[in-house]
């Protein structure tokens, strides 16, 4: 699969600014949209490591990537971390959404 111009530009930005969490998040999001689960998981993981703070949505998406890669234990761990993070930042709706995903994974 060849990169779209947008994806190519986002890859370029992530290479140019590897420690910029925003560059990693935007690339992760675009890879997720392209259904490149491995690539998106790697970028979401990098984003989470670079961003000490409110990363509940990224952890949710990281869990979804891991599910699609059949990495179910990793998905469950990302979901658990996402729930904790969302609750720590008063995002009860996001925590509920991630809890649902974790429950579905455990079912």
């Amino acid at each position: 699969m060849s990169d779209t111009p947008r994806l190519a530009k986002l890859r370029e930005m992530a290479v140019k600014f590897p420690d910029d969490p925003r560059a990693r998040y935007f690339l992760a999001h675009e890879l997720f949209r392209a259904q490149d689960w491995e690539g998106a998981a790697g970028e979401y993981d990098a984003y989470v490591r670079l961003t000490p703070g409110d990363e509940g949505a990224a952890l949710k998406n990281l869990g979804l990537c891991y599910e699609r890669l059949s990495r179910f234990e990793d998905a469950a761990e990302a979901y658990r971390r996402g729930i904790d993070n969302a609750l720590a930042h008063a995002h009860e709706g996001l925590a509920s959404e991630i809890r649902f995903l974790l429950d579905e994974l455990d079912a």
Side-chain angles (χ1 to χ4, degrees), residues 29-102:
H29 183 70
E30 196 65 23
L31 290 166
F32 189 91
R33 287 177 31 142
Q35 298 181 0
D36 178 351
W37 310 124
E38 191 73 41
E43 294 302 324
Y44 280 124
D45 184 59
Y47 169 79
V48 168
R49 283 185 284 109
L50 290 168
T51 307
D54 190 0
E55 64 269 355
L59 287 162
K60 179 190 92 169
N61 287 346
L62 179 59
L64 289 169
C65 290
Y66 285 151
E67 272 197 72
R68 286 163 175 87
L69 294 167
S70 298
R71 293 173 54 182
F72 301 114
E73 288 180 27
D74 292 331
E77 177 61 23
Y79 290 150
R80 283 190 289 274
R81 288 176 55 208
I83 292 165
D84 291 343
N85 186 273
L87 291 173
H89 291 88
H91 301 305
E92 182 57 46
L94 177 60
S96 294
E97 184 179 336
I98 300 170
R99 203 174 291 115
F100 173 80
L101 294 169
L102 180 59

Side-chain angles (χ1 to χ4, degrees), residues 20-34:
D20 182 343
R22 294 169 301 166
R24 305 308 282 270
Y25 184 83
F26 295 138
L27 177 56
H29 183 70
E30 196 65 23
L31 290 166
F32 189 91
R33 287 177 31 142

